[in-house]
Amino acid sequence: MTGDGTIGKACDVLDQVAAFQRPVRFAELLESSRFPKATLYRFLQSLTNQGMLSYDPDRQTYAPGLRLVRLAHAAWTQSSLAPIARPFLDTLSGETGETVHLAQLDSGQVLYVDKRNAAQPVEMYSQAGKVGPAYCTGVGKAMMAFLDEAELNKVISQQSFHRFTDKTLASEAALRSDLELIHSRGYALDDEEHEAGIICIACPIRTPGGRMLGAISVTGSTERMNFDQLEAWIPRVRRVAEQIAAEAQAWRFPETRPDGQKDRIQAT
């Protein structure tokens, strides 16, 4: 929960409504809310009046409102890599026939901003819009390995180190050792560390100046492939990461010059 005054509390209520992933009744919200009944009701009313939530009087349920949807769409198109990376993800997914993920770091966690399913889909945790752990996912480790020391220390301090499988790197020491290896070879592996039976290779997406933008991965199931097969795609995944970074720098993530001004590559 946040503590940024009224705005922070209202955002907590929005998060709570969204977490149900379905229209939710007041009584359900009250059960898990940190706010008293009257306070929760007041926030719900205010958020509904502002269009951030919608209320169905027949079912007596709350759901994310159209204004919130418009803001989310604006954030997705203006702040995330997803619109820029979309054609590259489509191509890579078609070439590999496997699941392709695009992710960015958000408060020390992995935010999946886009996903392309395999030709033979495998059920897994990741979905666009979901947040996952950084310390035991390929995309998370690929990004962490190339952060500067101060930022890396901050991100590591935000990890829970919960053991999801027998192969989860469940300590800071184990993670740092793996990150050193990832940095030296330029890509990350997820060896069933988050989900049993799921393996992946991942490469960071960085501007030529080293700014971390995100990561891309190719993910498969151990039932039909192994790391030798996955690692054969590393040069292609690295190339796609470079292409996304170049496109992103040109359109949305310009580098900053020493004088503080931003260089923007003009698209032709």
Side-chain angles (χ1 to χ4, degrees), residues 34-243:
R34 68 185 179 111
F35 303 119
K37 182 177 182 179
T39 302
L40 176 61
Y41 181 76
R42 186 171 67 250
F43 276 122
L44 289 170
Q45 287 295 103
S46 296
L47 290 167
T48 301
N49 291 339
Q50 292 298 318
M52 305 298 282
L53 292 177
S54 64
Y55 179 69
D56 184 333
D58 295 327
R59 295 182 174 84
Q60 297 185 337
T61 55
Y62 294 91
L66 290 178
R67 184 177 183 183
L68 187 60
V69 172
R70 287 195 297 270
L71 290 172
H73 178 71
W76 186 82
T77 56
Q78 296 178 37
S79 301
S80 85
L81 284 174
I84 292 170
R86 178 182 294 169
F88 300 103
L89 300 188
D90 289 340
T91 299
L92 184 60
S93 179
E95 291 174 350
T96 64
E98 299 298 335
T99 300
V100 174
H101 293 109
L102 177 71
Q104 294 178 268
L105 280 176
D106 182 16
S107 300
Q109 303 302 302
V110 166
L111 173 63
Y112 293 99
V113 295
D114 211 347
K115 177 182 180 179
R116 293 294 179 273
N117 285 319
Q120 300 176 17
V122 177
E123 186 174 347
M124 61 185 76
Y125 170 85
S126 59
Q127 296 294 336
K130 272 195 172 183
V131 174
Y135 65 96
C136 59
T137 54
V139 285
K141 293 190 296 179
M143 290 184 281
M144 293 175 71
F146 291 89
L147 297 176
D148 62 41
E149 184 176 359
E151 187 63 23
L152 176 60
N153 290 337
K154 178 181 177 181
V155 171
I156 287 180
S157 72
Q158 296 171 312
Q159 306 308 304
S160 63
F161 292 108
H162 169 77
R163 187 177 291 280
F164 290 94
T165 73
D166 292 341
K167 295 186 176 182
T168 302
L169 301 179
S171 72
E172 179 177 336
L175 174 63
R176 285 186 179 274
S177 178
D178 196 34
L179 293 180
E180 289 181 6
L181 177 60
I182 292 167
H183 190 274
S184 67
R185 70 188 177 198
Y187 64 91
L189 303 177
D190 174 356
D191 184 12
E192 301 184 74
E193 296 163 42
H194 186 214
E195 297 179 86
I198 301 298
I199 57 176
C200 91
I201 54 171
C203 291
I205 301 171
R206 299 188 300 156
T207 64
R211 180 180 176 184
M212 180 59 63
L213 300 180
I216 187 172
S217 69
V218 174
T219 303
S221 166
T222 56
E223 291 184 357
R224 65 168 187 260
M225 71 185 329
N226 55 43
F227 271 124
D228 288 340
Q229 293 168 294
L230 265 184
E231 288 184 297
W233 288 105
I234 288 172
R236 183 69 181 113
V237 176
R238 182 180 285 120
R239 177 58 182 153
V240 169
E242 293 170 351
Q243 290 174 321

Side-chain angles (χ1 to χ4, degrees), residues 14-36:
L14 286 174
D15 285 340
Q16 188 184 7
V17 172
F20 278 85
Q21 298 186 24
R22 59 170 174 79
V24 57
R25 289 177 175 269
F26 178 80
E28 294 177 286
L29 292 169
L30 186 60
E31 285 182 3
S32 57
S33 176
R34 68 185 179 111
F35 303 119

